[in-house]
Amino acid sequence: MPTAAAEELLAAVREVLVNVRKHCPPGTGVWLLLEAEDDGYRLSVRDDGPGIPEGRLARAAEAGHRGVADSIRGRIAGLGGTADLHTGTDGTEWEFTVPLTVESR
């Protein structure tokens, strides 16, 4: 993976970690798993916090808070990848997939 692409992926992970620190109670566990696949990379960032309440991200975006849309989803989309969010009362998981060959966008 080119350095610039790796830096963008790292910046998205950093934003997820900032959100964990900001919105989860102290002592919340966080796990990262990076897997190389035939066609790219899969990076999961999971926490065992309280989860994101339904509608919270939509309300934040409506209020002009674009951190998730731009700093997470936008960065991964810029790499040609996807950012999937899974959340519930047992925690939150972001799953980023990035193609093996990342082109500058």
Side-chain angles (χ1 to χ4, degrees):
M1 179 181 291
T3 301
E7 288 172 350
E8 280 297 285
L9 183 59
L10 179 59
V13 170
R14 190 175 299 120
E15 187 67 24
V16 171
L17 297 177
V18 165
N19 285 336
V20 170
R21 189 160 89 200
K22 201 187 254 187
H23 300 291
C24 293
T28 297
V30 178
W31 298 266
L32 282 81
L33 175 64
L34 176 62
E35 300 173 273
E37 299 182 338
D38 291 338
D39 58 348
Y41 304 94
R42 180 180 313 274
L43 176 62
S44 299
V45 184
R46 182 189 307 177
D47 70 59
D48 62 359
I52 302 170
E54 190 169 332
R56 172 73 180 102
L57 294 179
R59 287 191 304 276
E62 289 170 5
H65 302 283
R66 307 249 337 131
V68 168
D70 295 340
S71 296
I72 298 174
R73 287 189 169 120
R75 280 192 164 103
I76 301 303
L79 297 172
T82 60
D84 296 316
L85 174 65
H86 311 280
T87 187
T89 57
D90 58 346
T92 299
E93 180 177 16
W94 280 98
E95 187 175 83
F96 303 139
T97 56
V98 178
L100 189 58
T101 305
V102 177
E103 296 179 21
S104 298
R105 293 177 184 239

